[in-house]
Amino acid sequence: MRFLDRARADIVSLRGYFRALRAVQPIAGAPARVFPTLIDKLARRHGERPALLSERETFTYRGLADRMNRYARWALAQGLDKGDTVCLLMPNRPEYLAIWLGVTRVGGVAALLNTNLVGQSLAACIDSVAPKHVIVAAELSPQFDGAEPFLETKPCLWMKGEGASRLPCIDHDIDKLSGAPLDGNEIRRVTLSDPALYIHTAGTTGLPKAAVVDHHRLMLAVLGFAGILDARPSDRMFDCLPMYHMLGG
């Protein structure tokens, strides 16, 4: 019986492996096909079907693309050059994904900060990627305030959400921008070899270090994960991991 159970498990694993292999095989042949462009395609295909659900907000596929495009235009309006970094200190919510999708859509790099870090450790993570901007969730602003005195870099600071703060609220800028698909003058050439994310290591033997995740690795993770799970439109997945982590994000 154990042999049969093991054989069945091996067959399931092999099927998942081959599905993942089939899903990721076309990636290298389309160097300009990066994850944010997939969101545009999914928005056209699935429209008002739910994409991300939470207690704070719910995005349809079209709504997610809308928010992504607004943040992309915000990045362009801030003069963000290709390769410039935006740090994101925010707990799990659909808007979290929309922000880093928008930043990476126009060639920026999103640094996903561990929301459990404080003081010098948090400041060291920010300094390690030399960001041009840092976006802080309103509920985490006291945490950021405790780290700011240790910062060596001087990025532009933004607050996400309403609350008493000395920081400008990014929501006011985002609400004024269009969520329509980017036009030819706004689109920058972003390829699989370009960096997309900085995800920090655990720092068990020292301060956390920033690991670079390029668009190729990101596509491998997204499509490979979907292939292994045999994900289908009728499936619903619960994310209990922090979105600043590679697996949770």
Side-chain angles (χ1 to χ4, degrees):
M1 191 65 179
R2 288 182 179 178
F3 172 78
L4 290 176
D5 290 341
R6 181 59 183 271
R8 292 190 188 99
D10 288 344
I11 290 171
V12 169
S13 296
L14 281 172
R15 285 176 175 169
Y17 170 79
F18 285 116
R19 282 194 304 267
L21 190 63
R22 190 163 54 246
V24 303
Q25 197 169 17
I27 292 175
R33 182 174 176 252
V34 294
F35 188 42
T37 65
L38 287 188
I39 300 299
D40 284 329
K41 182 178 180 181
L42 290 170
R44 293 191 297 269
R45 179 184 300 172
H46 298 300
E48 295 306 310
R49 294 187 65 173
L52 297 171
L53 310 174
S54 81
E55 292 180 348
R56 300 191 66 157
E57 63 238 348
T58 294
F59 288 160
T60 64
Y61 283 95
R62 186 173 291 120
L64 176 59
D66 176 284
R67 298 302 288 178
M68 174 185 72
N69 292 328
R70 289 172 186 264
Y71 282 104
R73 289 190 168 95
W74 169 84
L76 292 173
Q78 299 307 313
L80 200 76
D81 290 328
K82 189 174 178 181
D84 286 347
T85 300
V86 177
C87 284
L88 182 55
L89 183 65
M90 183 185 296
N92 281 17
R93 57 185 292 187
E95 190 86 359
Y96 187 98
L97 180 61
I99 293 174
W100 73 249
L101 279 170
V103 169
T104 60
R105 180 75 174 85
V106 292
V109 186
L112 312 184
L113 299 174
N114 186 331
T115 56
N116 295 302
L117 296 178
V118 297
Q120 288 180 302
S121 294
L122 178 56
C125 285
I126 296 172
D127 284 335
S128 70
V129 296
K132 294 294 181 69
H133 300 269
V134 177
I135 302 172
V136 182
E139 60 266 43
L140 296 179
S141 58
Q143 186 172 326
F144 177 80
D145 290 343
E148 190 177 5
F150 300 104
L151 285 178
E152 295 180 4
T153 54
K154 300 299 179 184
C156 295
L157 306 177
W158 302 82
M159 185 180 70
K160 170 64 185 171
E162 297 295 336
S165 175
R166 57 190 170 76
L167 306 182
C169 182
I170 194 173
D171 301 274
H172 300 158
D173 287 30
I174 295 302
D175 290 342
K176 297 174 184 176
L177 297 171
S178 170
L182 302 186
D183 61 31
N185 295 324
E186 296 171 309
I187 295 175
R188 291 176 176 168
R189 178 168 173 77
V190 181
T191 67
L192 295 173
S193 61
D194 291 322
L197 304 173
Y198 287 117
I199 295 181
H200 287 83
T201 61
T204 52
T205 58
L207 290 173
K209 297 176 178 61
V212 181
V213 178
D214 61 24
H215 283 278
H216 185 258
R217 183 179 172 192
L218 185 56
M219 288 288 284
L220 287 173
V222 170
L223 298 183
F225 180 77
I228 288 174
L229 293 185
D230 195 19
R232 304 183 182 195
S234 58
D235 293 335
R236 179 171 294 188
M237 299 182 189
F238 174 67
D239 189 359
C240 60
L241 296 172
M243 292 176 73
Y244 61 75
H245 191 277
M246 187 66 186
L247 292 178

